Amino acid sequence: MPPPSVPHVPYKPFNPGVPADEGARQFFETLDQRRSCRFFSDQPVSRETIEWCVKAGSTAPSGAHKQPWRFVCVQDAATKSKIREAAEAEEREFYERRANDQWLDDLAPLQTGPEKPFLEIAPWLIVVFKMAKTDDGGQVYYLNESVGIACGMLISAIHHAGLVTLTHTPSPMGFLGEVLERPAHERAFLLLPVGYPASDATVPELTRKGLDEVMVVV
Ligand code: IYR
């Protein structure tokens, strides 16, 4: 085997300051309070806050450590309006034609529709792009897994900052690359409006699956 091209250094373990079960429980309690929120306040969020969240997302593991993601953070009102307009055009198509009856039935409890005012009200939109190649044309690996994990960590960071977001996936999302003038090797993956919740925000009263449904021990 050829020698690794980077030196290997001792791993410094993270110390949660409490026993493992307590650390895990506390983190669960935090994440369990996360909800997807569709009602945003226009209260500003600092660029520095968004930068910390993006840095958290960008700590994700990735295939061969290629870090095949780009987080395009939109605060410009005119750009947000363009995104809203194009997203709503796709959503109208979805709700009126593309979605089958079963899909519309499954969405009914969420009370979603083609109007997406949050795309203009939220102070930031983070559009996550997956990179089909590195910037210099190199290969990437496990692209969807890598970017999916990065999005999960970004969403957790947004929650931990006391903000809310929503995994919005207007489909198809090609318009995002056009509006944001991204190069061809960047493909829109997820659109996350980010901000504080509106003071009268509501969420559907959903429950999560219990451990017995999601965990199997052998
Ligand atoms: N993209 C549409 C529809 C939608 C689809 C799923 I699956 C959801 O969980 C929620 C919505 C929209 O954003 O309204």
Side-chain angles (χ1 to χ4, degrees):
M1 205 169 78
S5 60
V6 295
H8 280 214
V9 295
Y11 172 64
K12 294 195 193 73
F14 168 68
N15 179 2
V18 289
D21 58 348
E22 181 58 15
R25 190 191 64 78
Q26 287 175 5
F27 194 58
F28 161 74
E29 297 291 352
T30 298
L31 285 191
D32 194 37
Q33 289 180 57
R34 187 204 58 78
R35 294 297 311 263
S36 292
C37 181
R38 294 183 163 78
F39 304 100
F40 287 78
S41 153
D42 62 1
Q43 185 184 335
V45 171
S46 72
R47 173 176 171 150
E48 191 188 358
T49 306
I50 297 299
E51 286 176 354
W52 284 118
C53 292
V54 167
K55 280 170 76 80
S58 198
T59 65
S62 61
H65 191 52
K66 296 292 179 180
Q67 305 168 89
W69 42 67
R70 192 91 71 203
F71 302 91
V72 179
C73 302
V74 182
Q75 59 170 342
D76 174 64
T79 309
K80 287 195 291 177
S81 298
K82 274 194 214 167
I83 290 175
R84 177 179 180 185
E85 201 179 317
E88 288 185 340
E90 295 295 4
E91 296 292 15
R92 276 193 295 276
E93 193 56 29
F94 171 82
Y95 283 97
E96 285 163 21
R97 273 177 280 281
R98 231 178 268 137
N100 62 23
D101 288 346
Q102 179 65 60
W103 196 339
L104 292 176
D105 277 0
D106 282 340
L107 287 181
L110 304 182
Q111 293 179 12
T112 56
E115 285 81 41
K116 304 295 176 191
F118 55 75
L119 293 175
E120 285 183 301
I121 297 170
W124 292 91
L125 305 179
I126 303 182
V127 186
V128 185
F129 286 84
K130 62 180 182 184
M131 296 172 63
K133 295 265 177 226
T134 63
D135 283 325
D136 49 14
Q139 284 192 67
V140 298
Y141 311 95
Y142 299 101
L143 183 53
N144 290 316
E145 292 84 344
S146 302
V147 181
I149 294 167
C151 287
M153 297 174 78
L154 171 62
I155 290 165
S156 302
I158 291 166
H159 173 65
H160 197 258
L163 302 170
V164 290
T165 186
L166 168 68
T167 49
H168 183 45
T169 50
S171 167
M173 290 203 274
F175 71 88
L176 288 167
E178 286 163 34
V179 172
L180 298 170
E181 299 179 3
R182 302 312 304 167
H185 67 288
E186 292 184 15
R187 314 271 160 78
F189 186 79
L190 196 59
L191 170 49
L192 297 167
V194 182
Y196 290 97
S199 56
D200 58 353
T202 58
V203 291
E205 195 174 26
L206 304 177
T207 55
R208 295 191 163 107
K209 287 183 177 177
L211 198 55
D212 56 336
E213 289 177 277
V214 299
M215 184 174 183
V216 176
V217 181
V218 292

